[in-house]
Amino acid sequence: MDTTIDLKQVADLSPFELKDFLIKTASRKCECYMLNAGRGNPNFLATEPRYGFLRFLEFALAESERSFSYMPEGVGGFPDKEEIERRFDIFTDGRMGQPGIAFIRNAVSYVRDQLGLPAGEFIYEMSEGILGCMYPVPDRMLRLSEKIVAQYIRKEMIASEPFTGGFDLFAVEGGTAAMSYIFTTLKENKLLRPGDSIALGMPIFSPYIDIPKLHDYDLKEVAINADRDRGWQYPDKELDKLLDPSVKAFFLVNPSNPPSVRMSDKSLRHLGEIVKKRPDLIILTDDVYGTFADNFTSIFAVCPQNTILVYSFSKYFGATGWRLGVIATHEDNILDRAIAALPEESLKELDQRYTSISTDPRHMKFIDRLVADSRTVALNHTAGLSTPAQVQMVLLALFALMDEAEAYKTAMKRVIRRRKAALYRHVPVRPTQSPEDVDYYHVLDMEVLGRQMYEQAFIDWLIAKLKPNEFLFALAEKAQVVLLPEAGFGDPHHAARVSLANLKETDYARIGCSLYDLMQDYYEEYKKSGKEAGTAE
Ligand SMILES: *Cc1c(COP(=O)(O)O)cnc(C)c1O
């Protein structure tokens, strides 16, 4: 292969680092037209809640100027709670027709009439928050903001599943911050100790593989493998590995990344049964893609007491730059109970850790420990997601809650699914489609595709010949197409992850075409090699 990249040298890189080498290869010819379907960053975004943010900021600024009218120009004060609702009505009345005005008016009435929350307090919380003039108080999440975002999580993640009791939210800087905080707090509170085993639902977003191996954590990994030939579902016998009491926690991404498939209802039930036998099992579910699935139910809905839920606004609303995510835990959960049941010696140690911020450290909830640990405990008083970011999060959540006809959701699903169809437009193979498919990503597996187009002897030859990542570099070199290796997500095949989120429909047709061309090239090579070696087929 005509490439200057040493495949051995890059073999251990995470998919995201390897991508930079692929981009270099793809862009070597300067007049090239590179297609980078490596990133999960969407190329669509929700505009209406952003207009809402703009108008709310205008209102809040008017409030600020009003309160300090005797000050020199350019200096404002804080919004005033008294009669703020009336002033909000006057402000919006005078601007009907401007984009975003109807949205924030409807949002206020939705909060008042559908959620039963005090409208004036809501307008005040949004106004003060959007001006960013106060530290986040409470640090875990602004009060009404938490209630509103909880409604959104309930709608999208729990839906019609029977669910009793409430849950707490911690607003964080995206799903990735959530991951890093959760790993830290589980470790600091001795819920995960060096040498413990954790199970990972494979294939998985690669940081979940890399973090536990870090020296800080030193955790043993048990793979719960999804079955590629059964629509990437987890067979019961794989899930049954969780019955082993030495497995302390189960981390999974649902819907998965990269296969982008939600866990089947049958597997959800099976996991529910396992948890009855393993009431101490900690589950962490990263449901970033749940909102793109049909009929989604989170494991959080099925096993609320055992589960830490991570959700991010990044993908669904095209808001990766905002850094918006939440961590949810049920008010009655096994994490708090496991901490309470630690040996006295460990509890004394933890009293020490949290004594500077709590008079009763033993009763600090796990989720509040997450908040404290996110600022190395000592800086707890400045913890929390920036308040303007919380306001944007609330407006995104309200936008989805108010969309009862699900116009946005339908549009989002249509966009990604049309791109998947485009990917196969020029390939003589039809993609499979199951009710669990989400299609935010798509896995192109050389072996699976090849089997549908050529004889098995060629596939065997190809698999034996290809070095890890070789076909990715060939695609980058020949067609300027950049895909992420699927192997880095924990699965050892010659497969690539195509993000269906970040390019135009026609680009996906070209990607499919390029892959097919590459296969044809390999096939030519195979036939030639057969002749030279004199082997008959
Ligand atoms: C994209 C992604 C995230 C990152 O979310 P941010 O909110 O952007 O930090 C987390 N988990 C998974 C599985 C993802 O694919």
Side-chain angles (χ1 to χ4, degrees):
M1 195 173 82
D2 175 29
T3 172
T4 52
I5 304 283
D6 179 352
L7 289 171
K8 269 206 208 86
Q9 225 171 6
V10 298
D12 288 336
L13 289 178
S14 93
F16 303 101
E17 306 303 328
L18 185 80
K19 181 191 77 230
D20 295 339
F21 284 92
L22 289 166
I23 289 172
K24 230 182 263 168
T25 306
S27 54
R28 205 175 295 143
K29 295 177 205 141
C30 64
E31 79 278 38
C32 77
Y33 167 50
M34 181 177 72
L35 288 183
N36 180 357
R39 286 213 89 170
N41 200 122
N43 67 349
F44 43 77
L45 58 96
T47 53
E48 195 166 344
R50 285 168 161 97
Y51 274 119
F53 185 88
L54 169 70
R55 299 305 171 205
F56 235 120
L57 180 56
E58 282 176 349
F59 171 73
L61 282 168
E63 278 289 297
S64 171
E65 285 173 342
R66 174 184 167 274
S67 84
F68 262 19
S69 49
Y70 55 88
M71 289 291 270
E73 213 172 320
V75 181
F78 287 180
D80 184 0
K81 205 182 279 189
E82 202 174 308
E83 293 204 60
I84 196 168
E85 191 175 350
R86 197 176 59 79
R87 291 192 300 280
F88 179 83
D89 285 343
I90 294 168
F91 177 89
T92 51
D93 271 344
R95 289 167 176 80
M96 283 316 280
Q98 288 182 5
I101 289 290
F103 171 71
I104 58 172
R105 272 178 81 102
N106 292 340
V108 168
S109 39
Y110 187 89
V111 166
R112 182 184 47 225
D113 304 334
Q114 306 299 313
L115 303 181
L117 300 170
E121 303 238 346
F122 170 67
I123 297 166
Y124 180 74
E125 185 170 302
M126 293 293 102
S127 302
E128 194 181 70
I130 208 163
L131 291 167
C133 53
M134 295 285 277
Y135 282 107
V137 178
D139 47 11
R140 183 154 58 73
M141 194 164 183
L142 301 178
R143 260 180 248 286
L144 296 175
S145 300
E146 183 185 1
K147 292 198 169 129
I148 294 162
V149 174
Q151 277 300 325
Y152 169 68
I153 295 291
R154 207 174 260 278
K155 173 178 181 235
E156 298 289 350
M157 306 285 134
I158 301 173
S160 57
E161 192 72 14
F163 190 94
T164 50
F167 53 88
D168 296 317
L169 293 180
F170 173 19
V172 293
E173 302 83 354
T176 43
M179 286 168 65
S180 98
Y181 296 161
I182 291 166
F183 271 106
T184 301
T185 297
L186 286 173
K187 173 177 180 273
E188 293 297 343
N189 287 277
K190 305 173 196 300
L191 299 179
L192 290 180
R193 296 166 190 263
D196 276 352
S197 292
I198 61 163
L200 298 175
M202 301 289 241
I204 198 167
F205 183 50
S206 59
Y208 284 105
I209 304 173
D210 299 332
I211 296 172
K213 285 185 191 150
L214 297 177
H215 176 68
D216 285 12
Y217 298 102
D218 200 16
L219 297 166
K220 293 200 192 78
E221 296 174 356
V222 175
I224 307 290
N225 294 304
D227 186 345
R228 179 176 59 156
D229 299 321
R230 280 197 277 165
W232 296 102
Q233 292 298 327
Y234 300 108
D236 285 356
K237 77 167 193 336
E238 286 292 313
L239 289 171
D240 288 342
K241 291 177 182 169
L242 300 171
L243 290 168
D244 176 352
S246 74
V247 174
K248 299 286 181 231
F250 178 34
F251 288 16
L252 86 164
V253 175
N254 183 34
S256 53
N257 173 5
S260 204
V261 169
R262 73 165 168 87
M263 198 189 243
S264 70
D265 297 337
K266 180 175 162 289
S267 290
L268 273 179
R269 299 298 149 218
H270 190 66
L271 185 59
E273 291 305 313
I274 289 171
V275 166
K276 281 186 193 151
K277 294 177 204 154
R278 278 294 318 277
D280 60 320
L281 182 70
I282 297 168
I283 300 174
L284 178 125
T285 189
D286 177 338
D287 293 2
V288 170
Y289 301 102
T291 41
F292 292 94
D294 294 329
N295 307 314
F296 182 69
T297 306
S298 171
I299 288 165
F300 181 63
V302 180
C303 311
Q305 300 192 357
N306 296 66
T307 305
I308 306 168
L309 170 80
V310 171
Y311 178 71
S312 160
F313 292 76
S314 285
K315 308 289 167 45
Y316 191 52
F317 298 102
T320 47
W322 265 110
R323 316 306 302 124
L324 303 175
V326 285
I327 302 172
T329 54
H330 195 269
E331 60 190 2
D332 178 13
N333 66 71
I334 63 157
L335 303 147
D336 293 338
R337 276 178 255 152
I339 292 169
L342 286 170
E344 182 59 25
E345 193 186 332
S346 302
L347 286 171
K348 283 217 178 90
E349 212 182 295
L350 289 173
D351 290 346
Q352 282 291 317
R353 180 174 177 84
Y354 298 109
T355 191
S356 67
I357 58 163
S358 171
T359 51
D360 185 14
R362 293 209 179 181
H363 288 102
M364 245 178 108
K365 294 197 251 187
F366 176 80
I367 200 160
D368 291 318
R369 292 170 195 243
L370 278 171
V371 179
D373 294 336
S374 76
R375 294 294 179 272
T376 332
V377 186
L379 298 163
N380 183 62
H381 60 290
T382 60
L385 182 64
S386 89
T387 58
Q390 293 197 49
V391 170
Q392 184 66 87
M393 184 192 286
V394 167
L395 295 175
L396 294 173
L398 282 169
F399 170 64
L401 281 168
M402 287 154 55
D403 181 16
E404 280 177 10
E406 306 223 305
Y408 184 76
K409 187 181 281 268
T410 308
M412 288 301 98
K413 288 185 192 173
R414 194 166 48 222
V415 166
I416 55 178
R417 289 174 191 180
R418 284 177 61 131
R419 290 171 181 179
K420 178 172 165 189
L423 190 61
Y424 284 85
R425 198 176 286 159
H426 304 300
V427 183
V429 167
R430 295 276 63 79
T432 55
Q433 192 72 37
S434 81
E436 288 87 18
D437 281 355
V438 173
D439 299 325
Y440 192 91
Y441 302 107
H442 185 64
V443 173
L444 289 173
D445 188 312
M446 296 294 270
E447 202 178 327
V448 174
L449 280 177
R451 250 194 256 138
Q452 297 176 71
M453 297 190 274
Y454 309 94
E455 62 270 24
Q456 185 62 38
F458 162 64
I459 307 305
D460 297 341
W461 171 89
L462 184 66
I463 300 307
K465 168 201 145 65
L466 285 179
K467 295 189 203 71
N469 300 324
E470 182 175 339
F471 88 97
L472 291 172
F473 280 98
L475 260 185
E477 176 99 30
K478 292 186 183 177
Q480 286 93 48
V481 166
V482 174
L483 308 179
L484 242 56
E486 203 252 335
F489 291 89
D491 193 65
H493 296 287
H494 294 288
R497 183 191 88 171
V498 186
S499 165
L500 295 173
N502 72 342
L503 296 171
K504 293 197 293 282
E505 206 170 299
T506 52
D507 295 334
Y508 290 100
R510 202 187 111 195
I511 291 173
C513 211
S514 307
L515 190 82
Y516 182 49
D517 287 348
L518 180 67
M519 276 295 224
Q520 295 278 61
D521 290 350
Y522 284 136
Y523 192 64
E524 290 301 313
E525 201 184 319
Y526 160 73
K527 282 199 296 198
K528 257 189 235 148
S529 77
K531 272 192 203 115
E532 277 156 26
T535 50
E537 278 165 26

